[in-house]
Amino acid sequence: MSTAFDLTRWVGAITLTVSTAVAYFIAARLSLELLTKPEGVAVFWPAAGVSAGALIALGFRARWPVIFGTMAATILANLLGDRSLWGSIVFGLCNAGEAALTAWLIERFHGPDFTLGKPRNVMALVGAATVGTAVSGIGGAIAFKLFHGATTPLWVTWQHWFASDGLGIIVVAPLLIEFASAARDRPPLTELLEGALTVAILALVSALAIFLRSDLLANVGPVAILFAPLLWLAARCRPVFAAAAAFIVSLSIVWTTTFGIGYFGNPTLSMEERVVAAQVSILLVTIGASLLAALFAEIREKRRITEAALHASETQRYLIETERLAALGRLVAGVAHELNTPVGISLTVASTLAQRCSKFANQIVSGPVRRSSLSAFVDSNQDAADQLVANLERAGGLIQAFKQVAADRSLADRRNFDLRIATEQIVASIMPGLPKPRNPFTLDIPADVIMDSYPGAYGQVLTNLIFNSVIHGFADRPGGNMLLEATRINDVVEITFSDDGGGISEDAQRHVFDPFFTTRRAKGSTGLGLYIVHNLVTEQLGGRIALVSALGKGTSVHMTLPLVAPGNDRPVSTASAMDNKES
C-alpha cells in the first residue's frame, strides 16, 4: 500500500510539473511575440499568472512541481527566442521565485483555500503580486543588462518587467484560483448556464467594442461599454465567471494592441502610448470586475449566513421551549404521581369511615347501643380524621408548592422571595418525578436570604441541574447524593450544587454550556439543559456560573447570583403572582 501511495504521489507530481510547463511555455511563447524595443521585455506576461495562480489554487505544498515546470518552460521559451543559456536560466529562476513568493505571501497571511470572494482578498492578491513582481523584476533587469547587453536603463527595464508580470498575475491567477474553488464547490446548473451565456455575450460585446473604431468608442472608450455585462456577471454569478470575462477582455486588448487593430491599434499613437493605454485598460477591467464580483459574493455569503443563523435561532428557540415544557411536564407528572398516595389513602379512609357510620346508624336503629361500641366508634372516627388531616395536609402542601413553582415558571415575574423557602418548594415539587430509588438531597441554605429576582428562572436552573445529575451523573451507578449549599456575601449569594456522580471528562467540560452538546444523544438527550442553565444565570438572573468536575469524583456547579437582579422590572408579591395565575 505504501508503494502504491508513493507511486501515486510521484505520478501526480510529474503530471503537475508537465502541465505547468506546457501551459507556461504556450503563454510565454505568445508573450515573447509582444516585445518592446530595445530591451526586449514583453508588454504582457500571462505566464506569470499561470505559475502563481497554480500555486495559490493548489497550495504551497505543490511548489516544487510548479517551480520546476516554470523554470523548464521559461528556459525553453527563451532559448527558442534566440536568448542566451545563462540569461534563460536566470529568467527561469526569477519567474519561479516570483510565483513562489506571491503564493507564500497569500498562504502566510490568508491561509490555504484562498478565494476571491471578498474585496480584501482581491486587494491581497494585488499586493502579493506587486511584491513578487517587484522583487523578480530586479533580477530580470540585471540579467538583461549582463547577458543581453541592453542599453536601456535598469529602471526602465524593471518598470516594464514589473508591469507585464504584474498584469499577468492579476489577469490569469484569479481565473485559476476561482476555477479551483468552483471545482470544490460546483455551482448549480442554472448558474453555470447563465454565467457561460453572459461570458459569451460579453466576449461578443468586447469584440465589437475593441476591434471596431467609431466616434462613440473614441468618446466613451470600450471599457465603459463592457461595464453592464461585467456588472451582471458580478451580481448574478460566482467570481469565476467575472474572472473568465476579464481574461477574455484582456486578451482582446493585448491582441488588438499588438497587431494595430481597432481601438487600441490607433496609428496616430506611438507604440509606447498604445501599450500604456492597453495596460491601464487591462488593469481597470480586471480589478474592477474582481472587486465587483467579490463584493457581491461577500453580500451573498453574509445573507446566506444570516438566513442560516436565523433558521438555527428559530430551531434553537423551539427546542429550548420544548425542553422547558418537557421539564414542566416532568414536574406535573411527578407531582401527580406523588399525590396519588395521600389522596388514595384519604379516599380509602373516607370510604371506611362512611361504612362505619352506616353500620353504627343501623345499630342505633336496631336497639340500644352499648357504651363500648360507642367508644370504639368515636376512637375509629378520631383515627380516621387524623389520617385524613395528615394526608390532606400533605397533598395540600404538594399542591401549594407546585402551584407556586408553576406560577413562577409560567409568569416569569420578578418578586421578592426567601431563597430557602423557594428552594424547598422547588425540591418538593421535583423529587416525586425522580426515578426510584430516589437520590438523597441535602439543603444547606441559611434563613432570611431575601432576593429580589426571578424565582421561575431560579427554579428552572435548579430543575435542570437536578435532572442533569440524575440522568448523567448517576446513569451508570446506583444511589448517589446531591447537595445544595448557599452563602450570602455582601450583595450576592454563592450557590453550589454538587453531586458525587460519575463526573465529566476534561474535553467535555469545555463544551458543557454549548447548545446541543450532549454525551447521551443516542439515548434522547438534546444537549440543551446546561445551555439553558447558563443563559438563565448569566442573562436573566445577572450572575456567573462555573463548573468543576473530575471523572469518578462528581461534579460541582458554582453560581454567583446578585440579591437584586439587574433590570427595572417591578417586583410583585407572591400573592399577586398567584392571583394573576388563577385569573
Side-chain angles (χ1 to χ4, degrees):
M1 291 181 63
S2 60
T3 303
F5 176 79
D6 292 340
L7 180 61
T8 303
R9 184 181 64 182
W10 280 105
V11 169
I14 293 172
T15 302
L16 178 59
T17 303
V18 173
S19 302
T20 303
V22 171
Y24 199 98
F25 176 79
I26 295 174
R29 287 301 302 165
L30 292 176
S31 299
L32 289 174
E33 299 298 329
L34 312 175
L35 301 179
T36 58
K37 303 299 181 180
E39 71 275 5
V41 180
V43 298
F44 180 56
W45 193 256
V50 172
S51 55
L55 268 182
I56 296 173
L58 299 177
F60 203 63
R61 61 184 180 276
R63 59 187 179 278
W64 294 119
V66 174
I67 287 174
F68 290 146
T70 299
M71 291 183 62
T74 301
I75 293 172
L76 181 59
N78 278 276
L79 289 177
L80 293 177
D82 297 330
R83 288 179 173 170
S84 65
L85 175 61
W86 289 109
S88 300
I89 293 175
V90 174
F91 292 148
L93 290 172
C94 291
N95 290 333
E98 172 186 272
L101 178 58
T102 302
W104 178 82
L105 288 173
I106 291 295
E107 184 162 349
R108 173 66 177 80
F109 294 102
H110 292 273
D113 298 330
F114 178 79
T115 65
L116 299 176
K118 298 179 181 180
R120 63 185 180 90
N121 287 11
V122 174
M123 301 312 299
L125 177 62
V126 174
T130 301
V131 174
T133 54
V135 174
S136 67
I138 297 174
I142 294 174
F144 273 111
K145 191 72 173 180
L146 294 178
F147 299 108
H148 295 281
T151 58
T152 306
L154 287 175
W155 169 248
V156 176
T157 304
W158 179 88
Q159 281 183 308
H160 289 173
W161 179 293
F162 172 76
S164 60
D165 281 38
L167 285 177
I169 294 177
I170 293 172
V171 171
V172 179
L175 182 61
L176 298 179
I177 295 170
E178 288 305 313
F179 184 80
S181 176
R184 292 191 298 266
D185 183 16
R186 296 183 180 180
L189 181 60
T190 55
E191 182 181 350
L192 187 62
L193 294 176
E194 181 181 359
L197 180 61
T198 307
V199 170
I201 294 174
L202 187 138
L204 178 61
V205 172
S206 66
L208 295 176
I210 296 173
F211 282 79
L212 299 180
R213 294 181 183 173
S214 66
D215 295 336
L216 175 62
L217 293 179
N219 292 326
V220 302
V223 176
I225 303 297
L226 301 176
F227 178 76
L230 282 175
L231 180 62
W232 179 273
L233 271 178
R236 297 280 298 173
C237 304
R238 299 187 186 185
V240 63
F241 296 101
F247 177 74
I248 293 173
V249 173
S250 299
L251 288 183
S252 301
I253 293 175
V254 171
W255 184 268
T256 56
T257 302
T258 305
F259 296 100
I261 303 172
Y263 181 86
F264 293 99
N266 189 348
T268 61
L269 300 176
S270 65
M271 185 61 182
E272 183 177 353
E273 291 174 331
R274 287 158 53 189
V275 167
V276 172
Q279 289 176 337
V280 171
S281 298
I282 292 173
L283 189 65
L284 291 176
V285 169
T286 304
I287 295 183
S290 298
L291 284 176
L292 278 175
L295 180 62
F296 280 106
E298 187 175 39
I299 292 174
R300 289 193 295 268
E301 180 65 15
K302 287 183 178 179
R303 183 177 64 183
R304 184 191 66 80
I305 293 175
T306 302
E307 291 176 351
L310 181 62
H311 178 71
S313 177
E314 292 294 333
T315 304
Q316 181 174 305
R317 188 181 299 111
Y318 170 76
L319 291 176
I320 290 175
E321 188 62 27
T322 302
E323 183 74 13
R324 289 179 176 177
L325 291 176
L328 187 60
R330 291 193 296 267
L331 174 65
V332 173
V335 172
H337 176 75
E338 191 70 11
L339 283 173
N340 280 336
T341 300
V343 171
I345 293 175
S346 299
L347 182 62
T348 301
V349 171
S351 176
T352 303
L353 180 61
Q355 292 177 1
R356 288 177 180 174
C357 290
S358 177
K359 184 178 179 179
F360 187 74
N362 292 332
Q363 290 180 357
I364 294 175
V365 172
S366 61
V369 179
R370 299 175 59 183
R371 184 180 183 87
S372 59
S373 298
L374 180 59
S375 297
F377 177 72
V378 171
D379 291 339
S380 63
N381 283 356
Q382 184 64 47
D383 182 61
D386 292 340
Q387 292 186 48
L388 284 174
V389 170
N391 283 279
L392 290 178
E393 282 182 348
R394 181 183 176 190
L398 288 172
I399 292 174
Q400 185 63 29
F402 168 70
K403 189 176 181 182
Q404 180 61 61
V405 173
D408 285 337
R409 293 191 182 186
S410 61
L411 292 174
D413 276 336
R414 177 174 182 162
R415 67 178 178 86
N416 295 323
F417 62 94
D418 187 294
L419 180 63
R420 180 174 180 174
I421 295 176
T423 304
E424 290 174 347
Q425 292 176 341
I426 294 166
V427 172
S429 63
I430 293 174
M431 295 305 290
L434 299 181
K436 294 182 179 180
R438 293 168 185 163
N439 304 89
F441 196 106
T442 305
L443 295 179
D444 184 8
I445 303 175
D448 298 329
V449 178
I450 307 301
M451 300 185 66
D452 174 9
S453 189
Y454 301 89
Y458 172 71
Q460 183 71 42
V461 167
L462 189 54
T463 300
N464 284 4
L465 290 177
I466 293 174
F467 277 100
N468 192 74
S469 292
V470 173
I471 295 173
H472 298 277
F474 306 126
D476 302 324
R477 58 172 59 188
N481 300 279
M482 291 179 285
L483 170 65
L484 183 68
E485 301 173 286
T487 303
R488 178 175 176 175
I489 304 175
N490 297 327
D491 294 333
V492 300
V493 57
E494 298 279 353
I495 301 175
T496 300
F497 175 87
S498 57
D499 64 55
D500 56 359
I504 305 173
S505 66
E506 291 185 4
D507 291 337
Q509 287 183 48
R510 292 193 291 267
H511 305 284
V512 290
F513 295 126
D514 294 346
F516 309 112
F517 175 79
T518 178
T519 57
R520 295 172 59 88
R521 192 174 303 280
K523 297 185 178 180
S525 296
T526 62
L528 288 171
L530 290 181
Y531 172 70
I532 294 174
V533 168
H534 183 273
N535 278 5
L536 290 174
V537 170
T538 58
E539 293 180 10
Q540 189 169 6
L541 298 177
R544 300 188 306 273
I545 184 170
L547 182 143
V548 178
S549 182
L551 286 177
K553 297 183 179 179
T555 301
S556 295
V557 178
H558 304 282
M559 296 176 286
T560 302
L561 303 180
L563 295 178
V564 180
N568 298 320
D569 295 345
R570 183 179 180 182
V572 297
S573 64
T574 304
S576 62
M578 297 295 294
D579 293 340
N580 291 334
K581 176 64 179 177
E582 293 173 353
S583 61

